[in-house]
Amino acid sequence: MRPAIRNASARQHSGGPSPVAGRGGNRNERARKPDLSEIEDEIAGLLDRPTPELRHAWREFHRAGPPLGLSRDLLIRALAYELQEHAHGGPSLALRRRLQSLAGASEKGAVDPGLVITAGTTLVRQWRGHTHTVLVHKDGFEHEGQLYRSLTAIAERITEAHWSGPRFFGLTKRAPASSPAWAGQ
């Protein structure tokens, strides 16, 4: 049996600090970055490891078992990612926050993850025979010379009813309406 993946985030038997830099212990000590070929060899070695060893390595990284139904292939890919992240550093805090917000919004079906509105973008919407143009600024949205904090405020002003601003301007995908089973018969 091969040894578990080194520098995993599992706690030491003594209850002492974790050997991984930045995860407890003496934060002033820097862990030696592994050589690139060492990481490549370790990742390539994942393919030869039996599934129970891969699950054990997952437990060392995450302090919990892998999700039920996670295939061997995905388990190997996830462990390879963990090894690369440990060797090269993970995503920045700003990127992690952005991904969390996109994940939360996509669970609600509210945002197309590929859609990012940058300053300078112009949004155009026809409403009851009138064309409405919105200019995206870094700190808000401009409509008819007035600055607003949200697209929803602009949509409500235009329609005089409560509307989702991103939906009003066509920035979200509407969830498909569920139809009863008998509707197609």
Side-chain angles (χ1 to χ4, degrees):
M1 181 186 256
R2 291 187 183 162
I5 296 174
R6 67 178 141 51
N7 287 336
S9 62
R11 295 179 189 252
Q12 294 178 347
H13 295 291
S14 65
S18 173
V20 178
R23 297 217 182 173
N26 186 352
R27 295 180 188 265
N28 294 328
E29 288 182 17
R30 286 265 199 227
R32 178 184 73 83
K33 285 200 173 189
D35 183 54
L36 183 60
S37 62
E38 290 176 22
I39 296 300
E40 290 173 350
D41 291 343
E42 203 164 340
I43 290 171
L46 291 173
L47 294 170
D48 299 330
R49 294 175 86 172
T51 304
E53 280 187 32
L54 295 172
R55 289 188 177 129
H56 179 71
W58 178 282
R59 279 186 208 93
E60 288 182 353
F61 272 115
H62 299 283
R63 297 185 182 138
L68 294 176
L70 188 67
S71 69
R72 175 181 165 79
D73 180 59
L74 286 177
L75 188 60
I76 290 170
R77 290 171 187 251
L79 289 170
Y81 173 81
E82 294 286 345
L83 289 168
Q84 290 172 341
E85 184 180 55
H86 179 72
H88 304 292
S92 68
L93 182 59
L95 178 58
R96 284 185 286 176
R97 285 182 185 151
R98 175 78 174 134
L99 291 172
Q100 283 290 350
S101 71
L102 286 173
S106 69
E107 286 175 3
K108 298 175 189 171
V111 172
D112 177 3
L115 183 66
V116 177
I117 303 173
T118 57
T121 301
T122 303
L123 305 173
V124 181
R125 172 68 150 88
Q126 290 276 343
W127 179 256
R128 295 191 177 165
H130 188 278
T131 302
H132 296 274
T133 305
V134 173
L135 179 62
V136 179
H137 290 279
K138 194 166 68 171
D139 57 345
F141 304 91
E142 181 181 342
H143 176 255
E144 295 180 347
Q146 190 172 356
L147 195 63
Y148 293 86
R149 290 179 54 188
S150 71
L151 287 174
T152 299
I154 297 170
E156 288 177 353
R157 180 171 182 262
I158 293 170
T159 64
E160 298 178 352
H162 180 72
W163 270 75
S164 161
R167 179 173 285 172
F168 180 79
F169 286 99
L171 302 177
T172 60
K173 294 180 181 176
R174 188 173 209 148
S178 60
S179 58
W182 52 267
Q185 296 176 354

